[in-house]
Amino acid sequence: MKLSLLFLLPVASLAFAPDASVVVHPHRGGDIALRSELDDAAENIVENTEKYVGKVDDLVLNRAMRVVDHAPAFYTLKALADAGGISATLSGITSNPEAFTGLGTALSVPTVSFNVWAAICAIQALSLAKSALANDSNELSQADITATAAANFMATRAIGSANPLRDTILTALVSGYAVRNGSAAGDATIHSASLQLMSSFTTVLSVLGLVSAVSAKIPVVADSANVVGLLGIASYYVMVTREGNGTIKKAVNAGILGGMLVNALKGGVSFSLTTGSLLTNIGILGTAYLAYEGINRLRNAVFA
């Protein structure tokens, strides 16, 4: 009897043991929920990071890269302004026209006319800033920026140059490149005005400088400043009456010729019958006619 009871104990214990097939793991569902929350949080972090990085690109890095695009033009513009003694403050723009007057010309270009370089620098600075800070993309193409930088470089070389005629001619050629090839041609805009001004002004200096240099090689002509002046008037007549001059070129011609006429009249008119006096008076009349042509052509261009 006692032995039978001992055999029944294991069977009885099995009856009260838990069923292994229905054991519940209380933490498994919680782990899945936690993982889902972590995934959502990570996804939000990635999305927000990408969004803010995109905003940084648009607001900071994109504009910074565009400023870098314009760096060659900004750098050479500063070099030109420094070499020419041009500076800008809240009170205005300081110009030093005498810094640009090293070239001898057949006709005396008024010193005040060289203030055009301050205008060139100011307009160009506004153009570069406007392009770099435009909303969508640069307003100036990379070719425009390169052409501007090259023109500034050549103009800087011409200041105080040992060979001012050569460097002035190179400046006229390089600054006129964009005008001749279309990107700075046509009506003046904030982006084309500086190169049009530079090209027009240095072209006048180059032509008058060439006349002076060639005349110096001809003994008969070199000894008479009045004859050289008349040759200068003849060459300027060709420039003034040339078809295809834009408004900027006409304005430059009118300004230079107006200043020349004022300076000529300050010297007075001589009534002496000597050859020198007659040539001087002819020069004054020629300058007056050129000034009239220049101003009249400018008026027609502006008010047409």
Side-chain angles (χ1 to χ4, degrees):
M1 183 66 179
K2 292 181 180 180
L3 290 174
S4 62
L5 291 174
L6 292 174
F7 283 111
L8 290 174
L9 285 174
V11 176
S13 63
L14 289 173
F16 294 98
D19 188 354
S21 62
V22 295
V23 173
V24 177
H25 297 278
H27 298 292
R28 181 172 296 175
D31 290 343
I32 294 173
L34 179 59
R35 289 178 184 175
S36 178
E37 291 178 1
L38 290 175
D39 289 343
D40 291 341
E43 185 176 350
N44 288 334
I45 291 173
V46 171
E47 289 179 356
N48 288 330
T49 301
E50 291 177 347
K51 181 176 69 175
Y52 289 122
V53 168
K55 288 183 177 180
V56 171
D57 284 344
D58 291 337
L59 298 177
V60 180
L61 295 180
N62 182 42
R63 293 187 182 276
M65 292 301 102
R66 286 166 55 193
V67 170
V68 172
D69 289 342
H70 295 75
F74 276 120
Y75 179 81
T76 54
L77 174 60
K78 184 180 186 305
L80 174 60
D82 290 344
I86 299 170
S87 60
T89 62
L90 294 177
S91 58
I93 298 176
T94 301
S95 180
N96 182 25
E98 290 80 6
F100 298 90
T101 59
L103 176 63
T105 55
L107 296 173
S108 181
V109 178
T111 301
V112 68
S113 300
F114 290 87
N115 283 309
V116 71
W117 287 103
I120 289 170
C121 291
I123 294 171
Q124 193 178 126
L126 291 174
S127 169
L128 293 173
K130 185 175 184 296
S131 176
L133 299 176
N135 288 330
D136 298 325
S137 59
N138 295 338
E139 294 182 358
L140 290 170
S141 68
Q142 201 60 49
D144 295 331
I145 294 169
T146 301
T148 300
N152 291 343
F153 174 76
M154 295 311 304
T156 304
R157 275 174 50 95
I159 299 173
S161 171
N163 193 336
L165 177 58
R166 177 201 63 195
D167 290 329
T168 300
I169 292 173
L170 288 174
T171 302
L173 290 172
V174 173
S175 61
Y177 173 81
V179 178
R180 294 189 301 273
N181 288 275
S183 60
D187 295 336
T189 67
I190 190 172
H191 295 313
S192 65
S194 66
L195 285 182
Q196 288 187 12
L197 277 171
M198 190 186 299
S199 173
S200 299
F201 191 72
T202 54
T203 296
V204 171
L205 296 180
S206 298
V207 171
L208 296 179
L210 276 173
V211 171
S212 178
V214 172
S215 298
K217 304 295 183 182
I218 305 173
V220 176
V221 177
D223 293 336
S224 175
N226 288 324
V227 173
V228 175
L230 292 177
L231 291 174
I233 289 174
S235 63
Y236 211 147
Y237 173 81
V238 175
M239 289 188 286
V240 169
T241 58
R242 171 184 171 273
E243 294 297 328
N245 286 344
T247 303
I248 290 289
K249 187 177 289 290
K250 290 175 181 177
V252 168
N253 287 334
I256 293 175
L257 290 167
M260 285 181 176
L261 179 60
V262 170
N263 288 345
L265 293 176
K266 284 180 179 179
V269 177
S270 175
F271 295 97
S272 173
L273 297 179
T274 63
T275 302
S277 296
L278 290 174
L279 291 176
T280 298
N281 292 338
I282 292 172
I284 293 174
L285 290 174
T287 303
Y289 175 74
L290 286 180
Y292 165 78
E293 278 288 337
I295 295 171
N296 189 52
R297 288 171 183 266
L298 175 62
R299 180 181 61 82
N300 291 337
V302 173
F303 298 105

